[in-house]
Structures are given as structure tokens and as C-alpha cells.
Amino acid sequence: MAKVTFLGLGVMGYPMARHIAKAGHDVTVYNRTTAKAEKWVKEFGGKFAKTPKDASKDSDFIFCCVGNDNDLKEVTLGYEGAFHSVKKGAVFIDNTTASAKIARELFKAAKEKSFGFLDAPVSGGQAGAENGQLTVMIGGENKDFEKAQDVIKCYSKKMKVLGPAGSGQLAKMVNQICIVGLVQGLSEGIRFGQNAGLNMEDVIEVISKGAAQSWQMENRYKTMIQDKFDFGFAVDWMRKDLGIAMEEAKNNGSDLPITKIIDGYYADVQKNGGNRFDTSSLITRLKKK
């Protein structure tokens, strides 16, 4: 069993670290709010550290799942950052959804210190994290992935190296671009059906077996019909991710017309108080009879 560090115990990191500990690894955790790290240790064992630097000493694998580029820089390169103590030959696995730019910067910094770095954002939301069923999109070197894959497997159902450093983050951008179009289409379809007087439970039962089927339909249609939106990835976080994708699109010359429109729709949801609603809350913008 490996010595593992996990930095960041949010709604995703908390259960991800739990799966690693339950697999028998020796886990040290760090969280900006120490009380949460203490709570995690009481539940699952291991130990906690008060800084990323202290948490990462002597570990074979260091996992990280924080909010954004700035948070990531702080826990890696900051004054008490993990990169000041990661040992040679270890692998740093970053599960944060961040920019490809920061992933490449951290890969280079890790190389200079003789340890590996994988950008490895995840998809599957809080439920996927709780159930250990996340999809992991990975950028970096195969040799580092081969070292780390058995530990990553603790919380994932699918993982794949997609190219050099930054490729995992780019793939996550593709993932989010695809999702928002599906959610908007599902929202419009459900509202149309409701306003037409259809029983949407019955309708979805039928069309979910055909070409309209999607993960969003299978997992969100019931709560969307009921106007309940406390079941996963928050609007605030989706807007953060779409901002990253649209910025990257400027760099690579891509047009994202639908993504830009739906980002504006999510801004409407925020204005109406839905910052913490899950992403299926796009339907709240649409008139209901």
C-alpha cells in the first residue's frame, strides 16, 4: 500500500480521499479549513497536516482537488505549497478543473524537481465521487500514469491518458461544452411537453430508449420535472468551467456560439438566486403553464 496525500476536502475531494483510504492506503489529508480535515480523520483514519507542504512530505502520490487556478497555485507553489516538499519520483495528481496553462506550468515545475505531474480533472459530479464512479481525463506522461493508476482507480470507473500536460484539462473543457448543450435541449423538451399537457414521466420512459437518450436525461429528468435542483454540480462551478473553456477557445481559434449563449442563461439563473442549484436548473428560465 502507498503513502498518499490528499489536498482539498470539498464535496468531491472528501469522498475521493475516503475511497483511497478504504482501499488500504496510508492517507494524510489537508484542507484549508482544518476542522474538516480533523473530521475526515475521525471518520476514516490516517492523519491531517496543517499545510500542503507538511502533508506532502514523503508521500508516493499527492492528490489535489481545489477550486480554481489561484487555489491550485497556492497549494502547490505558495509559501507553504506542496511542491516544496514532494520527494523525487513521487507523482502529483491534480483533480482540479483548471486551465491547461496552469497544468503545463505545474508539469514543468514538477519536472524541474524530479517528480511527476498529471492533470486529471474528473467528471461524474458529487454522486460519482461518493460512489467511486468518476471518469478521469488525464494529461501527462505515461510512466507517471502507470505508477499512479492503481490509486486513481480507487475513485474512478474510467481513466485515460489523452496526451501531454494540459490534455486532461482540455478534455474536461470538451466535456463541459457538450453537457451544457444537452441540458438546455433537455430543459426545452421537458417544458414543451409539460406545457403541451403530456405526462413527461411517460414521455421520457419512451424517448430515453431512442436517439434522445443521454446521461443527463437518465439522471436528471425526474428532478427537473419536479423543479428540484439540489442534486449535483453547482451553477457557480459550471460558469467557472465555461469561462475557462471560452478563454481557451480564443487561444485555439474555436467558435463556441451555443456555449456562450448557455453561459448567459446560467448567469440568469444566478441572478435569480440559483448559484448553488445544480446545472439542470436551466429549466427554471423557461415559462411553465
Side-chain angles (χ1 to χ4, degrees):
M1 295 293 102
K3 292 189 70 174
V4 177
T5 294
F6 207 104
L7 309 174
L9 299 174
V11 294
M12 302 293 287
Y14 201 96
M16 290 164 72
R18 180 190 79 217
H19 288 297
I20 294 171
K22 287 195 169 183
H25 298 291
D26 178 9
V27 180
T28 298
V29 296
Y30 162 80
N31 193 68
R32 189 161 46 189
T33 305
T34 304
K36 184 173 276 190
E38 292 174 329
K39 178 177 181 288
W40 189 95
V41 169
K42 285 180 182 177
E43 289 186 60
F44 308 117
K47 52 189 176 292
F48 74 91
K50 292 186 176 180
T51 69
K53 181 180 177 180
D54 288 341
S56 302
K57 288 177 182 175
D58 301 320
S59 285
D60 304 302
F61 304 101
I62 303 91
F63 289 80
C64 180
C65 191
V66 293
N68 54 38
D69 282 26
N70 290 335
D71 296 333
L72 187 53
K73 282 185 179 179
E74 181 63 27
V75 299
T76 54
L77 304 176
Y79 179 69
E80 294 286 351
F83 275 32
H84 299 303
S85 66
V86 178
K87 69 181 182 181
K88 291 182 179 180
V91 183
F92 192 103
I93 303 98
D94 178 36
N95 298 125
T96 308
T97 295
S99 69
K101 180 182 177 183
I102 187 66
R104 296 182 188 113
E105 289 175 5
L106 293 178
F107 174 82
K108 182 180 178 182
K111 270 286 194 182
E112 290 171 354
K113 293 177 177 287
S114 301
F115 63 87
F117 179 87
L118 301 171
D119 53 289
V122 298
S123 180
Q126 186 175 349
E130 293 284 355
N131 297 322
Q133 294 290 298
L134 293 169
T135 298
V136 192
M137 297 150 272
I138 300 170
E141 296 184 341
N142 279 308
K143 64 182 179 66
D144 295 323
F145 170 69
E146 288 166 4
K147 284 184 185 179
Q149 62 179 326
D150 286 344
V151 189
I152 298 172
K153 194 179 294 182
C154 295
Y155 57 76
S156 68
K157 65 176 180 180
K158 177 67 177 178
M159 52 182 167
K160 190 175 181 65
V161 178
L162 299 167
S167 298
Q169 297 297 352
L170 292 170
K172 180 62 183 286
M173 295 173 210
V174 173
N175 186 77
Q176 304 304 67
I177 290 165
C178 292
I179 284 173
V180 295
L182 289 170
V183 175
Q184 180 63 21
L186 181 59
S187 298
E188 293 179 15
I190 288 174
R191 274 293 187 260
F192 173 88
Q194 289 174 324
N195 290 342
L198 294 171
N199 181 319
M200 288 309 297
E201 294 269 359
D202 292 343
V203 172
I204 298 292
E205 180 186 345
V206 174
I207 68 172
S208 66
K209 303 301 184 268
Q213 190 276 336
S214 69
W215 185 96
Q216 297 294 330
M217 179 177 286
E218 292 285 349
N219 290 275
R220 291 289 177 265
Y221 84 91
K222 287 187 178 181
T223 51
M224 290 172 76
I225 290 170
Q226 297 164 1
D227 291 319
K228 295 179 179 178
F229 308 107
D230 189 25
F231 298 92
F233 194 62
V235 168
D236 280 351
W237 292 113
M238 178 57 88
R239 288 212 71 206
K240 180 210 77 170
D241 290 1
L242 294 181
I244 292 170
M246 289 187 290
E247 188 62 32
E248 186 65 34
K250 294 177 186 176
N251 297 332
N252 70 22
S254 296
D255 293 324
L256 300 179
I258 299 301
T259 303
K260 290 177 182 177
I261 291 169
I262 299 173
D263 179 60
Y265 292 168
Y266 276 125
D268 291 342
V269 175
Q270 288 176 317
K271 289 174 185 174
N272 290 326
N275 301 66
R276 301 303 301 169
F277 286 174
D278 69 63
T279 52
S280 69
S281 58
L282 279 176
I283 197 172
T284 60
R285 294 183 61 262
L286 301 174
K287 184 179 178 181
K288 182 179 181 181
K289 282 187 177 180

